[in-house]
Amino acid sequence: MEKTSTILIADDDPGARLILQRLLAREGHRVLMAQNGAEALRQSIEHTPDLVLLDVLMPELDGFEVCRQLRRHPRLREIPILLVTSLGDHQSRVQRLSVGADGFISKPFDMAELLAHVRTITRLNRYRRLLAEQERFQRLIELSPEGIATINAEGRLLLINPALAALLEAPSVEHLLGNTLHTYVHVASRDRYQAGMQALEQGVQQVPQIEVLLVGVNGRALPAEISLGRFHDQNGSFAQIIIRDISERKRAEAQIHRQVSRLTSLHAIGVAITASLELSATLNILLDRLIEELRVDAASVLLLNPRTMKLEASCSRGLPSPIVQAPLFSEEGLAGMALRTQQTVSLTSVPAEMLLSERDRALAALFAAYFAIPLRARGEIKGVLEIMLRESFTPDDHWWTFLEALAMQAAIAIETSVLFEELRRTHAELKQSYDATIVGWSRALDLRDRETEGHSERVTELTLRLARWMGLPEDQMEHIRRGALLHDIGKMGVPDAILLKPGPLSVDEWAIMRQHPVYAFRWLSAIPFLQPALDIPYAHHERWDGSGYPRGLRGEQIPMAARIFAVVDVWDALRSERPYRAAWTEEQTVAYLRSLAGTHFDPQVVRAFLEMFGYDRGD
């Protein structure tokens, strides 16, 4: 069956319209109907039919007038028109020619004749449309900005549009005809191109887009994207190829890649500044990233020494040692000029006769391009960043933007390092002051209780030794040291009459004396940096069996530092001379500690203490 056409029947006779509608519908056509000339014109304008059957004798507008108006219409003048009439005179046929009708059908209808006319006209319509479509398609191909070509089974170019010739820099389309496209595909891309062609040969109708590198007639490489498809006609099988120039896209992708890479570098430098307070490590990372991203040959960071007012090389890449080590005052050379003016200075911005310093002349002899960028942080100049290239170079805006960001991060790193050093120095001084105060308190206690003079320093040293022997973390040692020095700080609240009483204490006096760990807790807990040292002053009189004071803690409820100190405190007390008794021997003291292990003292601590002194080897 022929492809469906749209046919308009215009007749004021309903019977004639019905006969024609049934006949044409059986043929598979879409049928429109109008009962007068005006409606025929309106439907033609709205639907653009493929054929119009016009009755000649219709009221108001006859068929001749409708035909005449259709032929004058710019869009409808090519529509085939058959006049339908019972008039058979010669004059009517002549008039049909004058109004531009394509044929005459007489009433009553000869169905065979009618169908023959309709089939002939609709077939001619289709051929005409196909030809017009082909012409439009050919025109589109010729005007397409993308390269289009047809390739035969041997891979040779048969049909080529001008865009493809321009893409391959050929002098004309004829220059490419008969050549194989394979010869214009770069060696690095031929495997991908061949894989696509083989897929077509194996029956694939459309190959996904392939990125290749083409080489033009003049040898210039060009990134391109190709689409491959296969079609068949009476002459055989052919490949259709569409080639797009993706140079701009590749340049955009490269720019995006550079921007992402540079953002990554800036992030890495930022992380280095945050994670490491070692200035040299941060600046080394910065220079490595700078050389990688900006593709420069050498770089250095010069720091301003505020005491000597010299620019001193902190780190460098690609510079000979004599240049790196050359002394440089802040008012000298290109770097000094950048420091003084707080502006970027380059070789091209300074006449050759102004290169007075030996260092500048050495740089000019080695490098064609030089830039000195001042490093500012919080309005203060911290130093100069130098960049050198061996070839002449004109930076673009992206290059400058990244360099300025790097310079800012370098200045921040320098400022952060300076602030940290000041903070560390202040912290060290403050720590020394704290420690001196604690030692002073400890000595004051010893002087108050002359019987225990030197006791605090001895037990502190021995407690730290035992804590390390038992494997306590090193970060606890400072707190243990402070706690041991201040273990009896609470006795400052005990009256002299009780603390220095030569005889035994009464029950009430002992109650007051046993409050000294509580006094220590109250005083020291109010000092934040001493809070981690409270374990020993507050709990060194607690006992393993729970009979100690002030809280009656038992076993592992007692902090480890306090358990360690309790053993050391008793050892030192028993081994020291007192006005009311002589110092005990080592054997006596060891026996005493063993006897109280498990009641007064943590057995594990006693064992470790004796092992440390060699008393319980293998026990």
Side-chain angles (χ1 to χ4, degrees), residues 237-254:
S237 178
F238 301 90
Q240 188 80 39
I241 185 167
I242 299 175
I243 303 178
R244 302 172 187 86
D245 181 355
I246 57 174
S247 300
E248 286 299 324
R249 191 180 84 191
K250 285 297 182 182
R251 279 192 287 270
E253 289 175 355

Side-chain angles (χ1 to χ4, degrees), residues 54-128:
L54 274 175
D55 185 22
V56 171
L57 298 177
M58 289 186 293
E60 297 181 7
L61 288 178
D62 62 17
F64 294 126
E65 182 57 28
V66 173
C67 184
R68 192 178 290 111
Q69 290 194 32
L70 288 176
R71 289 294 178 250
R72 286 199 297 264
H73 195 285
R75 184 166 54 83
L76 306 175
R77 62 166 57 100
E78 299 296 331
I79 293 177
I81 301 172
L82 291 178
L83 291 176
V84 180
T85 182
S86 57
L87 299 175
D89 59 283
H90 178 72
Q91 182 181 355
S92 296
R93 294 182 181 275
V94 172
Q95 190 174 0
R96 181 267 298 181
L97 295 174
S98 68
V99 297
D102 295 281
F104 234 100
I105 298 175
S106 300
K107 292 181 180 180
F109 300 120
D110 181 337
M111 299 305 178
E113 178 190 10
L114 175 61
L115 289 178
H117 275 288
V118 171
R119 289 169 181 169
T120 299
I121 289 174
T122 54
R123 188 176 295 115
L124 287 173
N125 270 352
R126 279 191 286 275
Y127 288 151
R128 187 162 52 240

Side-chain angles (χ1 to χ4, degrees), residues 401-529:
T401 299
F402 181 67
L403 179 57
E404 289 169 356
L406 278 180
M408 184 181 299
Q409 287 203 311
I412 292 172
I414 296 167
E415 175 72 6
T416 302
S417 176
V418 170
L419 290 175
F420 177 71
E421 286 301 321
E422 291 177 355
L423 181 63
R424 183 158 54 184
R425 184 169 57 254
T426 301
H427 177 74
E429 292 171 355
L430 187 60
K431 181 176 177 296
Q432 288 176 354
S433 298
Y434 286 159
D435 288 345
T437 300
I438 291 170
V439 171
W441 289 348
S442 173
R443 289 176 179 172
L445 286 170
D446 283 355
L447 289 174
R448 188 180 180 212
D449 185 0
R450 294 176 183 174
E451 292 182 1
T452 61
E453 187 172 354
H455 169 70
S456 295
E457 285 84 355
R458 292 194 303 272
V459 294
T460 297
E461 180 181 349
L462 193 52
T463 299
L464 289 172
R465 181 180 168 190
L466 180 55
R468 289 190 174 98
W469 177 271
M470 295 185 68
L472 269 66
E474 191 62 32
D475 59 4
Q476 293 184 17
M477 297 304 155
E478 187 62 30
H479 304 310
I480 292 174
R481 187 182 72 83
R482 291 171 179 168
L485 283 171
L486 297 174
H487 70 281
D488 273 342
I489 189 68
K491 288 183 178 179
M492 296 288 286
V494 177
D496 287 349
I498 296 175
L499 182 67
L500 304 179
K501 183 178 180 179
L505 299 179
S506 67
V507 173
D508 292 340
E509 289 171 337
W510 264 117
I512 294 173
M513 177 66 77
R514 287 178 175 176
Q515 286 298 304
H516 77 270
V518 177
Y519 299 153
F521 176 80
R522 291 174 182 172
W523 297 339
L524 299 182
S525 61
I527 304 173
F529 92 98

Side-chain angles (χ1 to χ4, degrees), residues 557-587:
Q557 293 178 334
I558 307 169
M560 176 59 78
R563 283 183 262 157
I564 291 173
F565 181 82
V567 173
V568 171
D569 189 34
V570 170
W571 170 272
D572 186 80
L574 295 177
R575 294 284 295 134
S576 301
E577 291 284 345
R578 293 289 186 269
Y580 48 85
R581 63 162 173 80
W584 285 23
T585 65
E586 286 188 9
E587 291 76 9

Side-chain angles (χ1 to χ4, degrees), residues 233-294:
D233 64 13
Q234 65 274 17
N235 297 315
S237 178
F238 301 90
Q240 188 80 39
I241 185 167
I242 299 175
I243 303 178
R244 302 172 187 86
D245 181 355
I246 57 174
S247 300
E248 286 299 324
R249 191 180 84 191
K250 285 297 182 182
R251 279 192 287 270
E253 289 175 355
Q255 182 63 34
I256 291 172
H257 177 76
R258 282 195 296 272
Q259 293 297 335
V260 170
S261 178
R262 289 174 179 179
L263 286 173
T264 303
S265 294
L266 292 174
H267 175 71
I269 295 168
V271 170
I273 293 173
T274 304
S276 173
L277 295 170
E278 292 297 329
L279 181 60
S280 60
T282 302
L283 292 181
N284 277 307
I285 292 173
L286 184 141
L287 288 190
D288 289 340
R289 295 285 183 166
L290 184 151
I291 289 176
E292 178 182 350
E293 298 295 343
L294 297 184

Side-chain angles (χ1 to χ4, degrees), residues 525-544:
S525 61
I527 304 173
F529 92 98
L530 288 178
Q531 289 174 2
L534 276 171
D535 287 348
I536 292 176
Y538 194 25
H540 70 287
H541 283 298
E542 302 288 354
R543 293 181 178 178
W544 186 255

